[in-house]
Amino acid sequence: MSTYTEQHNVPPQIPLGKYLFHRLNQLNVTTIFGLPSEFNSPLLDQIYQIPSMRWCGNANELNASYAADGYSRIKRLSCLVTTFGVGEMSVLNGIAGSFSEHVAVLHVVGMPPSSAQLKKLLLHHTLGNSDYDIFHRLASDICVHTAVLKESDNICDVIDNCIVRCYNQQQPVYCGIPVNLAGHLVDSKSLDSPLHLMRGFNQPISDAVEELVDILLEKIYSAQHPVIVADGCASRHDCIEELTEIAQKTGFPLCCTPMGKGSFDEQSKRYVGVYMGSISSPQVREVVDFADFVLVAGALTADYATSSYHFCYKPKNIVLLFDKYAKVSGTKTYPDVRLKDVLQLLARCLDPTKLQYIQEEIPESSCLRVKPDANTPLRQEWMWARLSHWFRPGDVIVTEMGTSGLGVNQIKFPSGTKVVSQPLWGSLGYSVGACLGVLIAVQEESRGNRLKDNRIILFVGDGALQLTVQEISTIIKWGLAPYIFVINNQGYTIDRLLSRDTHHATADYYNIQPWNNLSIIPAFGGTNYDVRKVVKVGQLDQLLKDQRFSNQDILKMVEIILPSMDAPQALLENYVSSDIEHSTQPKRPKLA
Amino acid sequence: MSTYTEQHNVPPQIPLGKYLFHRLNQLNVTTIFGLPSEFNSPLLDQIYQIPSMRWCGNANELNASYAADGYSRIKRLSCLVTTFGVGEMSVLNGIAGSFSEHVAVLHVVGMPPSSAQLKKLLLHHTLGNSDYDIFHRLASDICVHTAVLKESDNICDVIDNCIVRCYNQQQPVYCGIPVNLAGHLVDSKSLDSPLHLMRGFNQPISDAVEELVDILLEKIYSAQHPVIVADGCASRHDCIEELTEIAQKTGFPLCCTPMGKGSFDEQSKRYVGVYMGSISSPQVREVVDFADFVLVAGALTADYATSSYHFCYKPKNIVLLFDKYAKVSGTKTYPDVRLKDVLQLLARCLDPTKLQYIQEEIPESSCLRVKPDANTPLRQEWMWARLSHWFRPGDVIVTEMGTSGLGVNQIKFPSGTKVVSQPLWGSLGYSVGACLGVLIAVQEESRGNRLKDNRIILFVGDGALQLTVQEISTIIKWGLAPYIFVINNQGYTIDRLLSRDTHHATADYYNIQPWNNLSIIPAFGGTNYDVRKVVKVGQLDQLLKDQRFSNQDILKMVEIILPSMDAPQALLENYVSSDIEHSTQPKRPKLA
């Protein structure tokens, strides 16, 4: 079998930039996001030297970082290139989001030449105080690893280490490359040594993993009202298969958090719904809050007892499996157990005959209510119910964390449907940039037929859209064809609802300048597209029945006009701002 | 005379938020920029309680920070309100720019309730690690002062201190306010004590200032080929009057840096032009590079010997007057001398009869060349020359630091024309947000008739526009009427030029998605506007002759189509990327 360098005709010595991009190419990261500048252009040149790779080129840096985040959520790694100072400072919000939600983004920054840095010359894009290290320092708080290349480094090792840590930890890494080093020659031979990625099962099994699995088995076997909750790290750390096997072997009820949505086949008879504390559906609350054993797989956050998801189940019999450690019943911590190892061993050892658990039927959620009259103005409750029947296997749904994020969480998806959103970090406008990244990633995956005919469907509020609208221009530039549903409720409705019990709800500051949203695509140079405005129940129903509309061929934008205080029912009923501080107990503590 | 609280009917106890905004109102800061959220809405409510104040509401946070920066450049202080995490992380680039260029922006961040912070509850907009202090830490590297309010603080003092330090140092300050404290009652009495602002002349005069002025007088009296160079801090620290008096008394030739543009009356016979190192005009280089005494007033940057402005005059006889210290001849440093004090004492003591300097005539710059034929495609060289005759006293010109920034620097302005740009930090897209801030500031100033009939004229490249385009929507929302000249050279021309000596110049990554720029205003809901496209010399000439066009009444956008490698002549001739590392000496060392 020929080596990578033989297959790709790589000469023995190659510029550092080319080495970096070949390494990314090996991991199937073939589109690079960001903006060009004099400090990164010699790097960008190298992208064009590798036939399978492309430079995306974004409208602004923050959007580029959202795009890189979205791409990585599909492909498990992405790369973002910015410039020193102004460029890298503009992406900090995006990188912090990737850090918060465990998304692997390699952030490469083109820096001034090492000579200028050493002499502390005053350059533009500096703070005027000759402090070249400040931006690197800022990045180190929101990255799992940072490096700035020096000529004296073993450069291949430094680059490999950046990529490996980013991939294995599924969090951002910062890599600064002085512009004069971009062309620095390195031995390409290293490309033939595989990177030390933690992809499969670690052998040999550690004692800690074995001990933890024994404890888990004991708890699983004795549980009478158990539930498995999948959180964000389950999918981020590639454990869906193992989790599915455990779910099948146990027959336990299955829930996920908003970050874990997409971790289970929601058509499974054991799937209950999304657990969101007090705004969960009654079925979900009953199952989770009164379970005698909760297994949280892929736990993401440090503190679950009281969180933004309002988790209020008793901590006494919870096992939290984090990406690389675990917490048992709120007391014992296992510091060095990798999620995938634990789940894989657990799945292998689980003997269904030992279960005490007796399966009860999971009640169907009462989703699609009676269809309102065709002339009724549209509201979110029916809209999401109707959309749930329009979604199909393979769809990737990208949402803001406004009302649409909640809407998506209250409906069941067809098998194999993915969601991309930002439930924990929750940066307004994220979805537009992320949608671009998802589109490109899915386009690349479908070349290998793994994700053929996938529709990418964006839901974004009119308020959120204003933050990042120009990334639609990049979607147009690349001829991509998502559905963009603009949920027009005349401003920042999610904030109005969070302030609902106060006079803030109608405050002027939650209004926005009204746009002609359907004129945006042509203004950004789009020529092949389809735009619609939907106001009434019948219009949406007709549109979603239309087979031509339902096939993803060209860029489609649908503006949906909704009342300014409308939201999915769960949100309207339960979410008041006092919930921020403490979660409430469900009213009917009915043990199933 | 009645007190402030009497005049404004302020009750004895008022919410903290109201206190903050009354303090800003006292300093004539009456529009607040930013985006709303559940964590800052109780603060925003207080803005509406003060009749003279308004909440601007921006399209996104980065743009809001640019707007606050632009507003402060007119009014010497501004206030930006964002939300915890996602909001504040999005403005770091803007705040860093204000820090770098000495612009006073008070950044107020609405934070989660103190109780949640103390208990380290997990909230959205966190990194998931219960570290609430991280964003505050990040801000502290790019602010001159930071504070997070605690209930136990003497809150009025903390707020006063934030405002005073921001104003006096003319750099950003960070002030975090937990949402539960926004309504915390404080004594309004403090509002009647004036803030300790360093506005006028400090009395008594310190020994250090006297010593420095003596040295300056000696150097001024003996100089034979002197020059005064005004840099950014001259205008930022309110020293234009003093500087003008010194210039008049000495008759020395006057230059400014790009950051100092607008510091001198450019119609003065002693004004030479903008010093930009190797890309300065020959007249300017001769005067500056061969001076036997250079007085840099309002020096901004730590290292002038070799800088992005390519200063190459000999450091042996330079006096650099920074905002609060001075450097004489590259050796002696005066650590505690305030710019305004030095200049005021110098102006007062200067005796013109003691000057050895004999005035030579300043050569006219050869700006307006022969007008090309009306059918000639437009190029920047003639465009800027033509525009220089269209500008009129009172205009405020806002530019990107791309080719338009250079274009503006090569022409002489009418008396009383201001420039707002970001020559040192140089963040692409800055000008659109800054333009909004300038518009609002000038609108407010003109109510007092100080700046009546001022036209606000924005020059932005097509590439830069894409980064921040949505802030045009806020301009429309407030019915503001700038001129927006979109310099359409099909991509990032400044970067192409910086890469001109390499193959990068034609690189694909410097291209952008072509927009229908003239459709942007209606897409953002604009109804009362005027848009034009200009391709040829005659079209621009006709347009600028049109009296109706020249009167600022409604929002006007002019798209100017230019060749993709076109730029002002000085840039085409001189600026190559190797200049980043070392400045070159002028070829003809002719001592005047």
Side-chain angles (χ1 to χ4, degrees):
Chain A
M1 213 175 84
S2 59
T3 62
Y4 180 88
T5 51
E6 285 165 6
Q7 279 167 32
H8 293 77
N9 252 328
V10 184
Q13 295 256 303
I14 54 174
L16 171 165
K18 198 167 189 174
Y19 181 85
L20 167 68
F21 295 118
H22 267 303
R23 274 304 197 194
L24 292 169
N25 188 40
Q26 290 178 334
L27 298 181
N28 203 19
V29 175
T30 49
T31 294
I32 311 296
F33 299 92
L35 268 81
S37 87
E38 63 191 302
F39 293 142
N40 65 30
S41 59
L43 269 180
L44 304 191
D45 288 333
Q46 301 303 325
I47 299 173
Y48 293 78
Q49 302 298 310
I50 303 175
S52 50
M53 299 203 79
R54 71 171 153 181
W55 169 246
C56 175
N58 296 85
N60 72 30
E61 283 92 354
L62 180 58
N63 294 358
S65 70
Y66 291 155
D69 180 294
Y71 182 93
S72 180
R73 285 177 197 243
I74 301 297
K75 302 190 83 172
R76 310 187 48 66
L77 183 65
S78 66
C79 178
L80 167 70
V81 180
T82 66
T83 194
F84 182 70
V86 290
E88 57 183 310
M89 291 293 277
S90 288
V91 303
L92 290 177
N93 178 10
I95 297 293
S98 302
F99 181 84
S100 167
E101 301 221 337
H102 283 240
V103 180
V105 176
L106 177 66
H107 180 199
V108 174
V109 179
M111 300 179 75
S114 323
S115 58
Q117 291 193 47
L118 284 174
K119 285 187 252 160
K120 300 222 182 272
L121 301 189
L122 191 88
L123 283 168
H124 52 292
H125 308 337
T126 68
L127 296 181
N129 56 9
S130 304
D131 182 351
Y132 279 89
D133 200 46
I134 181 169
F135 311 120
H136 176 204
R137 282 203 312 276
L138 291 172
S140 65
D141 260 325
I142 50 168
C143 290
V144 286
H145 177 66
T146 69
V148 172
L149 295 189
K150 291 186 293 291
E151 210 157 345
S152 57
D153 285 337
N154 182 331
I155 283 176
C156 297
D157 284 358
V158 176
I159 289 177
D160 286 359
N161 191 32
C162 284
I163 295 173
V164 166
R165 295 191 67 166
C166 189
Y167 186 92
N168 285 348
Q169 302 197 35
Q170 287 290 305
Q171 279 182 302
V173 163
Y174 176 97
C175 180
I177 304 185
V179 61
N180 59 308
L181 290 188
H184 184 85
L185 291 178
V186 300
D187 283 341
S188 67
K189 197 82 204 113
S190 305
L191 291 174
D192 295 328
S193 313
L195 295 168
H196 297 289
L197 304 181
M198 294 198 297
R199 274 171 146 164
F201 193 39
N202 274 356
Q203 291 287 7
I205 300 160
S206 76
D207 290 349
V209 170
E210 285 197 349
E211 188 186 325
L212 177 60
V213 168
D214 283 345
I215 290 170
L216 278 169
L217 285 172
E218 197 180 307
K219 288 181 182 291
I220 286 170
Y221 293 150
S222 61
Q224 303 201 21
H225 301 291
V227 63
I228 301 176
V229 179
D231 198 6
C233 280
S235 62
R236 231 68 102 233
H237 292 269
D238 194 22
C239 297
I240 300 302
E241 240 174 75
E242 292 80 0
L243 201 56
T244 303
E245 189 179 340
I246 293 164
Q248 282 166 348
K249 279 189 164 179
T250 58
F252 286 180
L254 310 171
C255 291
C256 55
T257 65
M259 298 259 286
K261 184 132 172 109
S263 301
F264 292 120
D265 178 357
E266 301 187 5
Q267 296 303 311
S268 153
K269 291 227 179 310
R270 308 308 298 156
Y271 179 75
V272 191
V274 178
Y275 186 68
M276 299 179 281
S278 60
I279 58 168
S280 313
S281 70
Q283 301 99 293
V284 172
R285 292 198 70 180
E286 270 185 32
V287 169
V288 178
D289 289 341
F290 303 102
D292 63 356
F293 172 59
V294 182
L295 176 62
V296 180
L300 193 104
T301 51
D303 185 352
Y304 271 81
T306 36
S307 83
S308 58
Y309 304 133
H310 313 276
F311 277 15
C312 52
Y313 44 68
K314 312 281 179 304
K316 69 175 187 320
N317 211 11
I318 297 184
V319 177
L320 295 163
L321 302 178
F322 292 87
D323 55 340
K324 35 187 190 288
Y325 69 104
K327 270 190 180 175
V328 177
S329 306
T331 50
K332 178 143 193 188
T333 298
Y334 288 80
D336 262 321
V337 291
R338 199 177 139 241
L339 181 64
K340 196 169 177 85
D341 294 340
V342 174
L343 293 179
Q344 215 157 22
L345 186 64
L346 180 62
R348 194 200 297 167
C349 298
L350 226 167
D351 176 357
T353 64
K354 295 188 178 168
L355 293 169
Q356 291 192 23
Y357 172 63
I358 300 157
Q359 288 190 22
E360 312 116 3
E361 207 173 306
I362 307 291
E364 266 292 311
S365 65
S366 54
C367 199
L368 186 52
R369 303 184 180 188
V370 182
K371 185 183 150 195
D373 181 79
N375 272 323
T376 315
L378 206 54
R379 295 186 62 113
Q380 295 221 12
E381 189 66 7
W382 186 81
M383 179 185 92
W384 290 111
R386 179 63 187 88
L387 280 164
S388 75
H389 293 270
W390 179 70
F391 294 144
R392 62 190 191 201
D395 284 351
V396 184
I397 296 159
V398 185
T399 70
E400 274 306 311
M401 276 317 296
T403 56
S404 47
L406 276 302
V408 161
N409 279 323
Q410 73 171 21
I411 58 178
K412 274 193 189 178
F413 284 165
S415 309
T417 303
K418 286 189 185 185
V419 189
V420 169
S421 70
Q422 219 186 30
L424 178 57
W425 185 243
S427 184
L428 203 65
Y430 162 80
S431 69
V432 183
C435 180
L436 168 69
V438 168
L439 282 158
I440 289 179
V442 169
Q443 183 186 60
E444 290 174 1
E445 296 286 88
S446 67
R447 279 191 208 129
N449 278 327
R450 274 181 51 198
L451 283 165
K452 207 161 186 157
D453 284 334
N454 302 76
R455 302 186 303 182
I456 315 299
I457 304 160
L458 168 64
F459 293 97
V460 58
D462 55 335
L465 177 65
Q466 298 200 353
L467 280 87
T468 47
V469 64
Q470 55 271 80
E471 223 49 44
I472 292 176
S473 150
T474 315
I475 289 173
I476 296 166
K477 179 172 85 173
W478 289 104
L480 300 165
Y483 292 86
I484 302 179
F485 286 90
V486 179
I487 309 298
N488 185 344
N489 38 29
Q490 301 92 57
Y492 307 117
T493 290
I494 186 75
D495 293 291
R496 290 186 184 121
L497 290 166
L498 289 170
S499 313
R500 199 160 50 116
D501 52 348
T502 68
H503 61 285
H504 306 148
T506 54
D508 181 52
Y509 45 73
Y510 290 140
N511 299 327
I512 56 171
Q513 162 72 5
W515 284 7
N516 295 311
N517 288 306
L518 300 184
S519 304
I520 288 171
I521 295 173
F524 290 164
T527 49
N528 191 21
Y529 60 89
D530 177 0
V531 295
R532 319 279 183 117
K533 184 177 282 200
V534 167
V535 181
K536 294 183 176 170
V537 163
Q539 288 173 313
L540 182 65
D541 199 36
Q542 274 310 110
L543 182 66
L544 299 184
K545 276 180 187 156
D546 178 349
Q547 204 48 50
R548 275 186 51 215
F549 175 79
S550 296
N551 285 332
Q552 185 162 25
D553 43 10
I554 55 170
L555 174 57
K556 287 169 186 162
M557 183 185 277
V558 182
E559 184 177 26
I560 297 185
I561 309 294
L562 291 168
S564 76
M565 284 296 278
D566 185 38
Q569 207 56 29
L571 192 64
L572 291 180
E573 282 166 9
N574 291 299
Y575 210 146
V576 291
S577 52
S578 62
D579 281 349
I580 291 166
E581 287 196 57
H582 57 270
S583 54
T584 52
Q585 291 292 327
K587 276 159 204 154
R588 291 178 304 112
K590 172 190 142 204
L591 281 167
Chain B
M1 214 175 83
S2 59
T3 61
Y4 181 87
T5 51
E6 286 163 9
Q7 281 168 30
H8 292 78
N9 252 329
V10 185
Q13 294 255 302
I14 54 173
L16 172 164
K18 200 167 187 173
Y19 181 84
L20 167 68
F21 296 118
H22 267 304
R23 274 304 198 195
L24 291 168
N25 189 40
Q26 290 178 335
L27 298 181
N28 203 19
V29 174
T30 50
T31 295
I32 311 295
F33 300 91
L35 268 81
S37 88
E38 62 191 306
F39 294 143
N40 65 30
S41 59
L43 269 182
L44 304 191
D45 288 335
Q46 301 302 327
I47 299 174
Y48 294 78
Q49 302 297 311
I50 303 175
S52 51
M53 299 203 79
R54 73 171 152 181
W55 168 247
C56 175
N58 295 84
N60 72 30
E61 283 92 354
L62 181 59
N63 295 357
S65 69
Y66 290 155
D69 180 294
Y71 183 92
S72 181
R73 286 178 196 242
I74 301 296
K75 300 189 86 171
R76 309 187 47 66
L77 183 64
S78 65
C79 177
L80 167 70
V81 180
T82 65
T83 195
F84 182 69
V86 290
E88 57 184 310
M89 291 293 277
S90 288
V91 303
L92 290 177
N93 177 11
I95 297 292
S98 302
F99 182 84
S100 167
E101 301 221 338
H102 282 240
V103 180
V105 176
L106 178 64
H107 180 199
V108 174
V109 179
M111 300 179 74
S114 322
S115 58
Q117 290 192 48
L118 284 173
K119 287 186 250 159
K120 301 223 181 271
L121 302 189
L122 191 89
L123 284 167
H124 52 293
H125 307 337
T126 68
L127 296 182
N129 55 9
S130 304
D131 182 351
Y132 279 88
D133 200 46
I134 181 170
F135 310 121
H136 176 205
R137 281 204 312 277
L138 290 172
S140 65
D141 260 326
I142 51 169
C143 289
V144 286
H145 177 65
T146 68
V148 173
L149 295 189
K150 291 186 293 289
E151 212 157 343
S152 57
D153 286 336
N154 182 332
I155 283 177
C156 296
D157 285 358
V158 175
I159 289 177
D160 287 358
N161 191 34
C162 283
I163 295 173
V164 166
R165 294 190 67 165
C166 190
Y167 186 93
N168 285 348
Q169 303 198 34
Q170 288 289 306
Q171 279 181 300
V173 163
Y174 176 99
C175 179
I177 304 185
V179 61
N180 59 309
L181 291 188
H184 185 84
L185 291 178
V186 300
D187 283 342
S188 67
K189 197 81 205 114
S190 304
L191 291 174
D192 294 328
S193 313
L195 294 167
H196 297 289
L197 303 180
M198 294 198 296
R199 275 170 144 164
F201 193 39
N202 274 355
Q203 291 287 8
I205 300 161
S206 75
D207 290 350
V209 170
E210 285 198 351
E211 188 186 325
L212 178 59
V213 168
D214 284 344
I215 289 170
L216 279 169
L217 285 171
E218 197 180 307
K219 287 181 182 292
I220 286 171
Y221 292 150
S222 61
Q224 305 201 19
H225 300 289
V227 63
I228 301 176
V229 178
D231 199 6
C233 280
S235 63
R236 230 69 101 234
H237 292 268
D238 193 23
C239 298
I240 300 301
E241 240 174 76
E242 293 80 0
L243 201 55
T244 303
E245 189 180 340
I246 293 165
Q248 282 166 350
K249 279 189 164 180
T250 58
F252 286 180
L254 311 170
C255 291
C256 55
T257 65
M259 298 259 286
K261 184 131 173 109
S263 302
F264 292 120
D265 178 356
E266 300 187 6
Q267 296 303 311
S268 153
K269 291 227 179 312
R270 308 308 297 156
Y271 179 75
V272 190
V274 179
Y275 186 68
M276 301 180 279
S278 59
I279 58 168
S280 313
S281 70
Q283 301 98 293
V284 173
R285 293 198 71 180
E286 270 185 32
V287 169
V288 178
D289 290 341
F290 302 104
D292 64 356
F293 171 59
V294 181
L295 176 63
V296 180
L300 194 106
T301 50
D303 184 353
Y304 272 80
T306 36
S307 82
S308 58
Y309 303 132
H310 312 276
F311 278 15
C312 52
Y313 45 68
K314 310 282 179 304
K316 69 176 187 318
N317 212 10
I318 298 183
V319 177
L320 296 163
L321 301 178
F322 292 87
D323 55 341
K324 36 186 189 289
Y325 69 103
K327 269 192 181 174
V328 177
S329 305
T331 51
K332 177 143 193 188
T333 299
Y334 288 79
D336 263 321
V337 291
R338 198 176 139 243
L339 181 63
K340 194 168 178 86
D341 293 341
V342 175
L343 292 179
Q344 217 158 19
L345 186 64
L346 180 62
R348 194 201 296 167
C349 298
L350 226 166
D351 177 357
T353 63
K354 294 188 178 166
L355 292 168
Q356 290 192 23
Y357 171 63
I358 300 157
Q359 288 190 21
E360 312 118 3
E361 205 173 311
I362 307 291
E364 267 292 313
S365 65
S366 52
C367 199
L368 185 53
R369 303 185 181 187
V370 182
K371 184 182 149 195
D373 181 79
N375 273 320
T376 315
L378 205 55
R379 295 186 62 114
Q380 295 222 12
E381 189 66 8
W382 186 80
M383 179 184 91
W384 291 111
R386 179 64 187 88
L387 280 165
S388 74
H389 293 271
W390 180 70
F391 294 144
R392 61 191 193 202
D395 284 350
V396 185
I397 296 160
V398 185
T399 69
E400 275 306 311
M401 277 316 296
T403 56
S404 47
L406 276 301
V408 162
N409 279 324
Q410 73 171 19
I411 58 178
K412 273 193 191 179
F413 284 165
S415 309
T417 304
K418 285 189 185 186
V419 189
V420 169
S421 69
Q422 218 186 31
L424 177 57
W425 184 243
S427 184
L428 203 66
Y430 162 80
S431 68
V432 183
C435 181
L436 168 69
V438 168
L439 282 158
I440 288 179
V442 169
Q443 184 187 60
E444 290 173 1
E445 296 286 89
S446 66
R447 280 191 207 129
N449 278 327
R450 273 181 52 198
L451 283 165
K452 210 162 183 154
D453 285 333
N454 302 77
R455 302 186 303 183
I456 316 298
I457 304 159
L458 168 63
F459 293 96
V460 57
D462 55 336
L465 177 65
Q466 298 201 350
L467 280 88
T468 48
V469 65
Q470 55 270 81
E471 223 47 45
I472 292 176
S473 152
T474 315
I475 290 172
I476 296 166
K477 180 172 84 174
W478 288 105
L480 300 165
Y483 292 86
I484 302 178
F485 286 90
V486 179
I487 310 297
N488 185 344
N489 39 29
Q490 302 92 57
Y492 307 117
T493 291
I494 187 75
D495 293 289
R496 290 186 184 122
L497 289 165
L498 289 170
S499 313
R500 199 162 48 118
D501 51 348
T502 67
H503 60 287
H504 305 147
T506 53
D508 182 51
Y509 45 74
Y510 289 140
N511 299 327
I512 57 171
Q513 161 72 6
W515 284 8
N516 295 311
N517 289 306
L518 300 184
S519 304
I520 288 170
I521 295 173
F524 290 164
T527 49
N528 190 21
Y529 59 90
D530 176 359
V531 294
R532 319 279 184 116
K533 185 176 281 201
V534 166
V535 181
K536 293 184 176 170
V537 163
Q539 289 173 312
L540 183 66
D541 199 36
Q542 274 310 110
L543 183 65
L544 299 185
K545 275 180 188 156
D546 178 350
Q547 203 50 49
R548 277 187 48 217
F549 175 79
S550 296
N551 285 332
Q552 185 162 24
D553 43 11
I554 55 169
L555 173 56
K556 288 169 184 160
M557 185 185 275
V558 182
E559 184 177 26
I560 297 186
I561 309 294
L562 291 168
S564 76
M565 284 296 279
D566 186 37
Q569 207 56 29
L571 193 64
L572 291 179
E573 282 166 9
N574 290 300
Y575 209 145
V576 292
S577 52
S578 62
D579 282 348
I580 293 167
E581 287 196 57
H582 55 272
S583 56
T584 51
Q585 292 291 329
K587 278 161 202 151
R588 290 178 305 111
K590 172 190 145 206
L591 282 166

